[in-house]
PDB file of all heavy atoms in Angstrom:
ATOM      1  N   ASP I 220      10.908  -6.245  14.866  1.00 96.00           N
ATOM      2  CA  ASP I 220      11.744  -5.535  15.949  1.00 96.00           C
ATOM      3  C   ASP I 220      13.072  -5.252  15.300  1.00 96.00           C
ATOM      4  O   ASP I 220      13.737  -4.178  15.742  1.00 96.00           O
ATOM      5  CB  ASP I 220      11.961  -6.432  17.094  1.00 96.00           C
ATOM      6  CG  ASP I 220      10.782  -6.558  17.955  1.00 96.00           C
ATOM      7  OD1 ASP I 220       9.814  -5.762  17.812  1.00 96.00           O
ATOM      8  OD2 ASP I 220      10.742  -7.647  18.713  1.00 96.00           O
ATOM      9  N   ASN I 221      13.550  -5.798  14.283  1.00 97.00           N
ATOM     10  CA  ASN I 221      14.760  -5.491  13.563  1.00 97.00           C
ATOM     11  C   ASN I 221      14.793  -4.160  12.887  1.00 97.00           C
ATOM     12  O   ASN I 221      15.768  -3.662  12.570  1.00 97.00           O
ATOM     13  CB  ASN I 221      15.176  -6.679  12.603  1.00 97.00           C
ATOM     14  CG  ASN I 221      15.482  -7.901  13.178  1.00 97.00           C
ATOM     15  OD1 ASN I 221      16.119  -7.929  14.337  1.00 97.00           O
ATOM     16  ND2 ASN I 221      15.338  -8.970  12.610  1.00 97.00           N
ATOM     17  N   ALA I 222      13.578  -3.729  12.653  1.00 98.00           N
ATOM     18  CA  ALA I 222      13.458  -2.395  11.941  1.00 98.00           C
ATOM     19  C   ALA I 222      12.809  -1.259  12.860  1.00 98.00           C
ATOM     20  O   ALA I 222      12.234  -0.296  12.479  1.00 98.00           O
ATOM     21  CB  ALA I 222      12.457  -2.671  10.784  1.00 98.00           C
ATOM     22  N   SER I 223      13.031  -1.511  14.122  1.00 97.00           N
ATOM     23  CA  SER I 223      12.338  -0.631  15.170  1.00 97.00           C
ATOM     24  C   SER I 223      13.028   0.723  15.105  1.00 97.00           C
ATOM     25  O   SER I 223      12.372   1.735  15.674  1.00 97.00           O
ATOM     26  CB  SER I 223      12.484  -1.155  16.570  1.00 97.00           C
ATOM     27  OG  SER I 223      13.841  -1.314  16.968  1.00 97.00           O
ATOM     28  N   TYR I 224      14.163   0.887  14.482  1.00 98.00           N
ATOM     29  CA  TYR I 224      14.650   2.328  14.452  1.00 98.00           C
ATOM     30  C   TYR I 224      14.585   2.887  12.991  1.00 98.00           C
ATOM     31  O   TYR I 224      15.434   3.761  12.707  1.00 98.00           O
ATOM     32  CB  TYR I 224      16.157   2.204  14.849  1.00 98.00           C
ATOM     33  CG  TYR I 224      16.726   3.509  15.367  1.00 98.00           C
ATOM     34  CD1 TYR I 224      16.065   4.237  16.401  1.00 98.00           C
ATOM     35  CD2 TYR I 224      17.943   3.901  14.909  1.00 98.00           C
ATOM     36  CE1 TYR I 224      16.670   5.442  16.818  1.00 98.00           C
ATOM     37  CE2 TYR I 224      18.460   5.264  15.257  1.00 98.00           C
ATOM     38  CZ  TYR I 224      17.869   5.894  16.300  1.00 98.00           C
ATOM     39  OH  TYR I 224      18.378   7.145  16.735  1.00 98.00           O
ATOM     40  N   ILE I 225      13.774   2.366  12.195  1.00 98.00           N
ATOM     41  CA  ILE I 225      13.687   2.749  10.898  1.00 98.00           C
ATOM     42  C   ILE I 225      12.333   3.410  10.633  1.00 98.00           C
ATOM     43  O   ILE I 225      11.252   2.799  10.853  1.00 98.00           O
ATOM     44  CB  ILE I 225      13.763   1.601   9.933  1.00 98.00           C
ATOM     45  CG1 ILE I 225      15.230   0.888  10.049  1.00 98.00           C
ATOM     46  CG2 ILE I 225      13.449   1.977   8.398  1.00 98.00           C
ATOM     47  CD1 ILE I 225      15.279  -0.316   9.111  1.00 98.00           C
ATOM     48  N   THR I 226      12.290   4.705  10.166  1.00 98.00           N
ATOM     49  CA  THR I 226      11.178   5.415   9.787  1.00 98.00           C
ATOM     50  C   THR I 226      11.474   6.485   8.844  1.00 98.00           C
ATOM     51  O   THR I 226      12.517   6.947   8.616  1.00 98.00           O
ATOM     52  CB  THR I 226      10.457   6.046  11.095  1.00 98.00           C
ATOM     53  OG1 THR I 226       9.161   6.522  10.761  1.00 98.00           O
ATOM     54  CG2 THR I 226      11.344   7.211  11.536  1.00 98.00           C
ATOM     55  N   GLY I 227      10.498   6.759   7.961  1.00 98.00           N
ATOM     56  CA  GLY I 227      10.630   7.753   6.991  1.00 98.00           C
ATOM     57  C   GLY I 227      11.524   7.295   5.712  1.00 98.00           C
ATOM     58  O   GLY I 227      11.872   8.140   4.879  1.00 98.00           O
ATOM     59  N   VAL I 228      11.625   5.953   5.484  1.00 98.00           N
ATOM     60  CA  VAL I 228      12.448   5.575   4.360  1.00 98.00           C
ATOM     61  C   VAL I 228      11.500   5.003   3.229  1.00 98.00           C
ATOM     62  O   VAL I 228      10.369   4.556   3.518  1.00 98.00           O
ATOM     63  CB  VAL I 228      13.433   4.451   4.843  1.00 98.00           C
ATOM     64  CG1 VAL I 228      14.317   4.986   6.023  1.00 98.00           C
ATOM     65  CG2 VAL I 228      12.745   3.170   5.303  1.00 98.00           C
ATOM     66  N   ASN I 229      12.049   4.989   2.166  1.00 97.00           N
ATOM     67  CA  ASN I 229      11.473   4.306   0.963  1.00 97.00           C
ATOM     68  C   ASN I 229      12.448   3.215   0.491  1.00 97.00           C
ATOM     69  O   ASN I 229      13.584   3.504   0.357  1.00 97.00           O
ATOM     70  CB  ASN I 229      11.282   5.295  -0.175  1.00 97.00           C
ATOM     71  CG  ASN I 229      10.802   4.577  -1.456  1.00 97.00           C
ATOM     72  OD1 ASN I 229       9.904   3.780  -1.485  1.00 97.00           O
ATOM     73  ND2 ASN I 229      11.711   4.688  -2.449  1.00 97.00           N
ATOM     74  N   ILE I 230      11.962   1.916   0.401  1.00 96.00           N
ATOM     75  CA  ILE I 230      12.777   0.892   0.022  1.00 96.00           C
ATOM     76  C   ILE I 230      12.250   0.381  -1.287  1.00 96.00           C
ATOM     77  O   ILE I 230      11.147  -0.053  -1.567  1.00 96.00           O
ATOM     78  CB  ILE I 230      12.783  -0.259   1.021  1.00 96.00           C
ATOM     79  CG1 ILE I 230      13.112   0.218   2.349  1.00 96.00           C
ATOM     80  CG2 ILE I 230      13.640  -1.421   0.520  1.00 96.00           C
ATOM     81  CD1 ILE I 230      13.143  -0.826   3.468  1.00 96.00           C
ATOM     82  N   ASP I 231      13.078   0.554  -2.417  1.00 95.00           N
ATOM     83  CA  ASP I 231      12.812  -0.033  -3.734  1.00 95.00           C
ATOM     84  C   ASP I 231      13.079  -1.574  -3.649  1.00 95.00           C
ATOM     85  O   ASP I 231      14.192  -2.007  -3.351  1.00 95.00           O
ATOM     86  CB  ASP I 231      13.716   0.592  -4.791  1.00 95.00           C
ATOM     87  CG  ASP I 231      13.072   1.839  -5.376  1.00 95.00           C
ATOM     88  OD1 ASP I 231      12.115   2.437  -4.850  1.00 95.00           O
ATOM     89  OD2 ASP I 231      13.422   2.077  -6.630  1.00 95.00           O
ATOM     90  N   ILE I 232      12.037  -2.182  -4.297  1.00 93.00           N
ATOM     91  CA  ILE I 232      12.183  -3.751  -4.349  1.00 93.00           C
ATOM     92  C   ILE I 232      11.967  -4.030  -5.710  1.00 93.00           C
ATOM     93  O   ILE I 232      10.898  -4.273  -6.185  1.00 93.00           O
ATOM     94  CB  ILE I 232      11.107  -4.394  -3.433  1.00 93.00           C
ATOM     95  CG1 ILE I 232      11.096  -3.946  -2.017  1.00 93.00           C
ATOM     96  CG2 ILE I 232      11.497  -6.072  -3.437  1.00 93.00           C
ATOM     97  CD1 ILE I 232      12.309  -4.037  -1.276  1.00 93.00           C
ATOM     98  N   ALA I 233      13.190  -3.932  -6.494  1.00 84.00           N
ATOM     99  CA  ALA I 233      12.962  -3.832  -7.957  1.00 84.00           C
ATOM    100  C   ALA I 233      14.058  -4.613  -8.777  1.00 84.00           C
ATOM    101  O   ALA I 233      14.098  -4.335  -9.920  1.00 84.00           O
ATOM    102  CB  ALA I 233      12.795  -2.378  -8.367  1.00 84.00           C
TER     103      ALA I 233
END
Side-chain angles (χ1 to χ4, degrees):
D220 290 341
N221 292 327
S223 63
Y224 202 53
I225 296 176
T226 194
V228 305
N229 169 60
I230 304 177
D231 264 25
I232 314 299

